[in-house]
Amino acid sequence: MIWDLRFWIINMNKNEFQKFVQYLKEKNKVIAPQHDVEGYLHLNELNEAKDLYLGIELPLDSWKWFILPPRQEMFAYKGLKIEEILPKLKDQIFLGVSILDMQALTLLNQIFEKDTYYQEIKKKTIVIGTSLVPEENFYKFFDKFEENKLEHLQFDIFLAVQKNDYIIYTGSEDGQRLLDDFGYKDYSHIEYAGPIREEGLDPQMVAIKDAMQNRHNQKIWDELDKRCMQCGKCTIACPVCFCFRMFDQSNFEPGTGSRNRCWDSCFYNEFTQVAGATPEAPKHRMINTTAQKIYFWYEHHFVRTPATFSLPGCVGCGRCSKTCPADIDIFTTIKEILKVKK
Ligand code: SF4
Ligand code: SF4
């Protein structure tokens, strides 16, 4: 629900915003997009308020690095004794999260809803989003900002970016407290109404899901088979790829060690390797060819995730295309998928 109080609310101007960033930085660890010396946009701890980039370009790395770390120790064992290891983390603020990435975080929040390790980090994380989206994205839903789009996203503070100032919204009590403590009162509050929209999935996402399910075109995957080198960079870059594997790390002392999880990729051979090998098939896998792997990856994003969570399994950020060494472009592939098969 949106409390419509905007008729008396004054937007935050750019000077006030600078002071707000300074205020955040003084008290917290702030992670924000910043250009490196070579001009690439990355997420890093913000040391100087002036280094914050707030624009339509998306950082190459996604926010999952800081909420679902690449490697996590889960518990230590000593003989039969097990001790849970929860992430030790100070409070952190994600500043300048594009609304596309807010949708990605909202999906991760659902997927890891019952995961103690993820939730422990989420509890200590404040999300400050913006209405800025890159020009090239096929998830057009967020191109035009309307405040009723916010009620299905999880965030603490949101900046609807205007030409000279920002309309400020809060999405949680933590967000309200932060602004109140700073001394800023001109915000509207958006009550979170759950992740699923009443009108269902975005029509474009439905069209892709429908084409993937009902008009399988093997030629697309055979073509990509010739180019993809199974490096897995797209899965690392993607803000909603979340697959991981488990491994045990033993210590010198007998019977001691820890269980860990780390990111994995469905492009790696071991990922779908299963027990039951035979001399004829010593490495028995669920998925073998590159064409199968790349199809599986698209199917995960556009069919299985929407079917399981009623949310888009891709936010159209284009990070997978930017990082792919084989120049495989998701925007081109989607066009191919949507073409009526001849
Ligand atoms: S565009 Fe690529 S990187 Fe971005 S969410 Fe979709 S699949 Fe992931
Ligand atoms: S980044 Fe490109 S080459 Fe690497 S696995 Fe993904 S699609 Fe294949």
Side-chain angles (χ1 to χ4, degrees):
M1 191 199 291
I2 298 156
W3 306 107
D4 191 10
L5 302 169
R6 293 227 63 87
F7 61 91
W8 57 265
I9 283 180
I10 303 161
N11 297 347
M12 185 185 270
N13 65 39
K14 297 216 160 156
N15 265 343
E16 278 174 301
F17 179 69
Q18 278 305 314
K19 284 184 198 150
F20 182 50
V21 175
Q22 197 59 39
Y23 170 80
L24 295 175
K25 226 177 54 51
E26 276 161 16
K27 304 206 162 188
N28 308 277
K29 178 179 176 187
V30 176
I31 318 283
Q34 295 159 74
H35 283 105
D36 66 16
V37 283
E38 285 166 3
Y40 293 109
L41 192 62
H42 284 291
L43 294 176
N44 275 313
E45 185 168 351
L46 189 69
N47 293 319
E48 301 280 341
K50 67 172 175 46
D51 293 339
L52 167 70
Y53 168 83
L54 219 53
I56 60 170
E57 189 187 347
L58 291 179
L60 277 177
D61 16 31
S62 76
W63 300 91
K64 77 177 175 185
W65 282 86
F66 302 93
I67 198 159
L68 184 66
R71 178 183 165 163
Q72 268 180 302
E73 209 173 21
M74 309 185 82
F75 60 82
Y77 54 82
K78 189 168 188 178
L80 293 176
K81 230 175 108 201
I82 284 175
E83 192 190 331
E84 193 172 38
I85 304 171
L86 289 176
K88 289 185 192 70
L89 185 90
K90 285 194 189 147
D91 291 350
Q92 56 180 3
I93 295 182
F94 292 177
L95 175 60
V97 183
S98 158
I99 196 165
L100 288 185
D101 283 338
M102 282 165 60
Q103 178 72 72
L105 285 172
T106 302
L107 174 62
L108 288 183
N109 292 346
Q110 298 312 302
I111 294 168
F112 291 92
E113 194 180 7
K114 298 201 171 122
D115 184 278
T116 322
Y117 304 92
Y118 181 93
Q119 291 301 327
E120 194 63 23
I121 301 181
K122 180 175 174 278
K123 243 176 14 200
K124 295 185 174 166
T125 304
I126 292 273
V127 174
I128 304 184
T130 79
S131 55
L132 297 160
V133 290
E135 267 161 25
E136 195 185 20
N137 79 85
F138 53 79
Y139 190 28
K140 294 287 169 199
F141 181 76
F142 288 124
D143 277 6
K144 187 170 174 300
F145 171 71
E146 287 150 1
E147 63 181 27
N148 62 6
K149 293 180 179 173
L150 290 178
E151 63 185 355
H152 297 292
L153 296 171
Q154 283 174 293
F155 64 95
D156 298 285
I157 297 175
F158 183 82
L159 320 170
V161 181
Q162 311 295 294
K163 206 167 166 205
N164 298 314
D165 50 26
Y166 306 98
I167 305 174
I168 306 291
Y169 298 91
T170 55
S172 73
E173 283 181 14
D174 285 344
Q176 287 177 314
R177 206 172 304 121
L178 204 55
L179 285 167
D180 290 345
D181 290 351
F182 170 64
Y184 189 83
K185 304 272 179 216
D186 284 325
Y187 55 78
S188 312
H189 185 66
I190 308 273
E191 201 70 42
Y192 181 54
I196 302 169
R197 295 192 196 101
E198 298 74 17
E199 68 272 26
L201 281 179
D202 174 57
Q204 172 78 345
M205 290 294 166
V206 175
I208 303 169
K209 179 168 172 272
D210 176 61
M212 291 277 307
Q213 278 179 302
N214 303 321
R215 301 200 305 272
H216 183 83
N217 186 349
Q218 188 56 36
K219 267 198 219 153
I220 297 172
W221 316 107
D222 290 342
E223 271 308 309
L224 295 177
D225 179 290
K226 291 179 204 152
R227 294 166 55 197
C228 171
M229 47 189 101
Q230 306 181 23
C231 66
K233 280 184 195 290
C234 48
T235 55
I236 294 169
C238 177
V240 292
C241 269
F242 57 86
C243 292
F244 57 80
R245 72 188 140 87
M246 310 293 292
F247 68 94
D248 284 354
Q249 172 87 55
S250 59
N251 294 336
F252 279 131
E253 197 187 330
T256 66
S258 65
R259 180 150 299 179
N260 304 261
R261 70 178 174 197
C262 70
W263 292 356
D264 206 345
S265 169
C266 52
F267 285 92
Y268 300 156
N269 281 336
E270 297 76 16
F271 187 76
T272 58
Q273 199 161 315
V274 289
T278 60
E280 299 77 38
K283 298 236 158 123
H284 189 53
R285 295 184 197 114
M286 308 286 278
I287 293 175
N288 287 292
T289 66
T290 312
Q292 285 171 334
K293 287 178 186 174
I294 202 155
Y295 174 78
F296 178 87
W297 190 75
Y298 274 81
E299 199 218 9
H300 183 198
H301 287 275
F302 295 101
V303 181
R304 275 179 284 131
T305 300
T308 312
F309 296 98
S310 303
L311 291 173
C314 163
V315 297
C317 68
R319 287 185 175 95
C320 51
S321 312
K322 272 197 189 147
T323 47
C324 177
D327 281 337
I328 293 173
D329 176 39
I330 193 164
F331 300 94
T332 312
T333 309
I334 293 296
K335 279 185 202 140
E336 288 297 312
I337 291 171
L338 289 172
K339 267 189 200 164
V340 178
K341 210 167 132 193
K342 304 232 167 82

